[in-house]
Amino acid sequence: MATRKPSPDTPDTPDEQPNPAVVSTRQYSGGEGWEVGQQAPDDAFRALDSAGTGEPTGPVVHSHPGGYARQIVAKGGLITAGVKKELDAGEQSDEGEQG
C-alpha cells in the first residue's frame, strides 16, 4: 500500500488544539442567578389578568399562582434579555401595588 502524502492545505500537526483563549459561550456556565447569561435558580411565573386579555399582572412568583399564569423561566433555564425584561416588569408591578 502506498503512503499518502499530505496535501499542502493539511496542517503539519493534525493534533493541534484550539486556542485556549477562545471559549464558546455554550461551554461557559455563568452560574445561577437572575442576571442575563445565568441559569435561573428557581421557576418564575406571573399571573395573567382574569379579564382574558392575557396581560401579565402582579409580581413574579416562584410557584404557579393558580388560575391563568405564564411561566417566564424554568429552574435551570437560561436568563435571556427577554426573560430579564419580564422579571423586571414583574418587580415594578410588585412595587406599584405596595406603594
Side-chain angles (χ1 to χ4, degrees):
M1 190 169 182
T3 359
R4 215 172 130 204
K5 293 182 180 179
S7 72
D9 296 335
T10 306
D12 292 337
T13 54
D15 296 331
E16 206 173 300
Q17 296 295 316
N19 183 348
V22 179
V23 177
S24 170
T25 55
R26 292 182 184 158
Q27 296 172 346
Y28 174 75
S29 173
E32 287 190 343
W34 297 106
E35 296 301 318
V36 173
Q38 295 181 330
Q39 293 179 331
D42 206 349
D43 292 338
F45 294 89
R46 196 155 176 220
L48 300 176
D49 71 342
S50 57
T53 62
E55 290 297 315
T57 182
V60 172
V61 294
H62 301 292
S63 62
H64 196 286
Y68 295 105
R70 172 175 26 203
Q71 185 167 14
I72 300 170
V73 67
K75 181 177 181 176
L78 180 66
I79 304 294
T80 63
V83 168
K84 181 69 173 152
K85 183 178 176 181
E86 283 204 52
L87 292 170
D88 291 345
E91 287 179 13
Q92 291 172 357
S93 172
D94 188 31
E95 290 170 4
E97 290 177 5
Q98 291 177 355

